[in-house]
């Protein structure tokens, strides 16, 4: 016959160790989930920022075309709204100014146009904007 174990004298650390390990693993998983969420938000913001840059660049190119082919700042629209797939829900706000400058040293001053295009994408807290400045003569 085997002697019966005295349950009151048995001691063990198995349950506290298991609870501790489960708690530590839960904390690690929670922190990884938060990091993944913030990383996803950063990528989304970066994509919106890149789209805003392309909207500003497209607005500047349209303004350069208007200035060079139409002959002045009066032909540059104040804003452009994009409907194409890549820039949908983006816009560009345009500004144009001109000065007369003697660039090449002769007696005839030339007109130098400064075009500022601010591209905006998104709305609310997700809104981003980028600015492009171009000078042409």
């Amino acid at each position: 016959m085997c002697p019966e174990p005295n349950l009151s004298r048995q001691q063990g650390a198995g349950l506290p160790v298991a609870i501790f390990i489960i708690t530590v693993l839960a904390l690690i998983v929670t922190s990884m989930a938060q990091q993944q969420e913030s990383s996803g938000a950063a990528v989304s913001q970066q994509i919106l920022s890149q789209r805003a840059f392309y909207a500003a660049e497209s607005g500047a190119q349209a303004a350069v075309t208007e200035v060079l082919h139409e002959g002045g700042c009066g032909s540059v629209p104040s804003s452009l709204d994009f409907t194409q797939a890549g820039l949908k829900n983006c816009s560009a706000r345009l500004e144009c100014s001109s000065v007369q400058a003697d660039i090449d040293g002769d007696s005839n001053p030339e007109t130098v146009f400064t075009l500022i295009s601010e591209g905006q994408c998104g709305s609310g807290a997700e809104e981003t904007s980028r600015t492009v400045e171009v000078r042409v003569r």
Side-chain angles (χ1 to χ4, degrees):
M1 287 199 170
C2 293
E4 283 192 32
N6 188 352
L7 296 179
S8 64
R9 293 189 335 148
Q10 287 187 358
Q11 296 179 358
L15 183 60
V17 169
I19 291 174
F20 176 76
I21 290 173
I22 290 171
T23 303
V24 169
L25 288 175
L27 290 173
I28 291 172
V29 167
T30 302
S31 67
M32 288 175 64
Q34 288 175 346
Q35 184 178 14
Q36 182 68 23
E37 183 179 331
S38 65
S39 176
V43 168
S44 174
Q45 191 70 19
Q46 185 177 11
I47 290 170
L48 272 177
S49 177
Q50 192 68 34
R51 290 179 63 213
F53 172 74
Y54 286 139
E57 196 172 60
S58 297
Q61 290 173 1
V64 166
T65 300
E66 290 295 324
V67 163
L68 294 181
H69 292 296
E70 301 298 326
C73 284
S75 62
V76 176
S78 61
S79 66
L80 294 173
D81 292 321
F82 299 102
T83 57
Q84 297 82 5
L87 294 177
K88 191 168 187 165
N89 299 326
C90 293
S91 63
R93 190 172 49 89
L94 306 172
E95 296 176 18
C96 180
S97 62
S98 63
V99 296
Q100 296 291 321
D102 185 12
I103 295 173
D104 53 7
D106 63 5
S107 61
N108 296 332
E110 296 177 301
T111 303
V112 178
F113 297 97
T114 301
L115 305 165
I116 298 173
S117 175
E118 180 185 4
Q120 297 176 334
C121 287
S123 61
E126 297 284 320
E127 183 178 37
T128 59
S129 66
R130 293 291 176 261
T131 302
V132 172
E133 183 174 333
V134 180
R135 289 198 175 106
V136 295
R137 61 181 176 136

